[in-house]
Amino acid sequence: MPRVVVFDAFGGPEVMRLVDEPAVEPAVGEVRVRIEAFAVNPLDQMMRSGTSPAPVPLPHSRLGIEGTGVVDALGPEVTGLKTGDPVILAAVPDASARGSYAEYTTLPASQVVVRPPGLGIMEAAAFWVAYSTAYGALLEKARMRPGDHVLITAASGGVGRAAIQIARQIGAVPVAVTRHTAKKNDLLAAGAAAAIATDHTDVVEAARRHTGGTGADIVLDLVAGPGQQHLLKAARPGGTLITAGFLDSRPTAPVPSSTPLTVHAYRSFDHTLDAVVVKRMAAFLNAGVRLGALRPAVDKVFALQDIVEAHRHLEMGLNDGKKIVVTVQPNDSDAGPGQGFQ
């Protein structure tokens, strides 16, 4: 019987447990995917702990908003896919019912895309959420163009690293922001044109210095909270500030009406549930993989039975912004606990 991770109460990692459940047959327009690996995301942690911005029904709730696997069965009226196709889960908005923390999941065919040939299974598992969020925020919403200076907060995280790579792919200039000086060299190695460490440098002053005194054309705020008010001053007049994260749980003050910026709030499901936009995303991201411009950073690989340890690893911040992946294989005991990714 296939295995599924569920939880019946909110709490720490230990509330998760593995249960056996039959695989769900796909209905009209659906596919069943045999999961090979999935990534652990901060939203998973929030759902499990009861701090998610969206309600999570209990008991017997599932987790997982991204992953990769192979099409196992097709429902009626599905076109463009066939059994055996390697795919990426492009969106799981109802993760509490169809989450990827399982050996199988059944979901609408519109919510999977063909896996780029240049990605291995572990990289593919960690790809979609970060890169689709960065793409949607920067290209669909902020209309990033070649030559734009893009200030990226929380740049050492998964979305931040993806944003650096996507900016470089189109010829924009990514300027990374981190709280720790020790991370500057890593961000420069990851492709940032410049790195600002706020533990020693004022972000507004540094942003103007790196943009020839004008300020950033686009500010991608992946933190939010009260610090956003300071970021408003780091953008040039007429620039764009886009919020696409919630790492700071403190309230974010309203943007003053006199601010000479275009301000957007971005939520990835705004685009990942739009089949037309998903097609554009997939084409862009596939091209980036093929060119070698886009490559996710994977930290550790755990086995499915070690899912509790994988969440503890995330909560302690041991992944240093890189993605944690859980493998779902018949012999996944060979993957953990906590095997380093090469």
Side-chain angles (χ1 to χ4, degrees):
M1 186 86 67
R3 296 173 297 169
V4 179
V5 175
V6 300
F7 62 103
D8 300 318
F10 299 122
E14 66 281 354
V15 301
M16 294 182 296
R17 59 192 178 93
L18 270 172
V19 299
D20 295 333
E21 289 188 0
V24 176
E25 291 298 318
V28 174
E30 292 185 335
V31 296
R32 186 171 66 213
V33 177
R34 176 175 59 80
I35 302 295
E36 294 177 304
F38 60 82
V40 176
N41 283 281
L43 182 57
D44 305 338
Q45 176 186 338
M46 296 172 71
M47 289 178 63
R48 187 213 71 223
S49 64
T51 59
S52 167
V56 176
L58 296 175
H60 210 79
S61 187
R62 289 173 61 158
L63 287 171
I65 57 175
E66 72 175 329
T68 190
V70 175
V71 173
D72 174 72
L74 302 171
E77 300 181 18
V78 172
T79 60
L81 291 169
K82 63 182 184 299
T83 303
D85 279 349
V87 294
I88 288 176
L89 308 188
V92 188
D94 51 351
S96 59
R98 304 177 189 255
S100 59
Y101 286 27
E103 291 185 336
Y104 292 86
T105 191
T106 301
L107 69 171
S110 60
Q111 293 176 9
V112 303
V113 297
V114 174
R115 187 162 70 206
L119 286 182
I121 290 173
M122 302 309 157
E123 291 176 317
F127 189 69
W128 187 262
V129 166
Y131 286 83
S132 68
T133 300
Y135 170 94
L138 291 176
L139 290 172
E140 294 286 340
K141 204 76 170 181
R143 304 296 182 187
M144 179 176 64
R145 298 169 299 179
D148 280 348
H149 284 84
V150 184
L151 192 71
I152 302 164
T153 68
S156 60
V159 177
R161 289 172 183 268
I164 290 171
Q165 294 176 16
I166 288 172
R168 285 179 60 88
Q169 183 178 347
I170 74 154
V173 183
V175 179
V177 179
T178 177
R179 291 179 299 169
H180 307 291
T181 298
K183 294 184 177 180
K184 286 181 64 175
N185 287 339
D186 181 51
L187 290 170
L188 293 171
I196 301 168
T198 58
D199 56 354
H200 282 90
T201 306
D202 178 77
V203 67
V204 176
E205 177 185 328
R208 296 197 176 278
R209 184 170 69 251
H210 290 302
T211 59
T214 63
D217 298 290
I218 298 171
V219 176
L220 177 60
D221 182 14
L222 300 172
V223 179
Q228 187 181 98
Q229 292 295 310
H230 199 48
L231 288 177
L232 295 172
K233 303 172 185 177
R236 67 166 175 81
T240 299
L241 182 141
I242 183 162
T243 62
F246 39 78
L247 294 176
D248 191 333
S249 60
R250 294 176 296 173
T252 302
V255 176
S257 58
S258 59
T259 300
L261 302 175
T262 299
V263 180
H264 296 295
Y266 181 74
R267 296 294 177 265
S268 61
F269 286 135
D270 293 347
H271 283 143
T272 54
L273 295 180
D274 183 327
V276 174
V277 178
V278 167
K279 187 176 181 179
R280 287 200 297 266
M281 283 182 174
F284 180 90
L285 299 178
N286 286 354
V289 171
R290 187 173 62 253
L291 295 169
L294 305 182
R295 186 68 58 178
V298 175
D299 172 51
K300 295 282 187 181
V301 178
F302 290 81
L304 183 60
Q305 63 263 25
D306 296 315
I307 186 62
V308 170
E309 292 306 315
H311 269 239
R312 286 178 178 151
H313 192 76
L314 177 69
E315 289 197 337
M316 290 187 287
L318 299 176
N319 57 314
D320 197 27
K322 299 178 181 179
K323 296 298 284 284
I324 299 166
V325 171
V326 175
T327 184
V328 186
Q329 301 286 348
N331 297 316
D332 63 5
S333 59
D334 295 336
Q339 175 180 298
F341 182 79
Q342 300 297 326

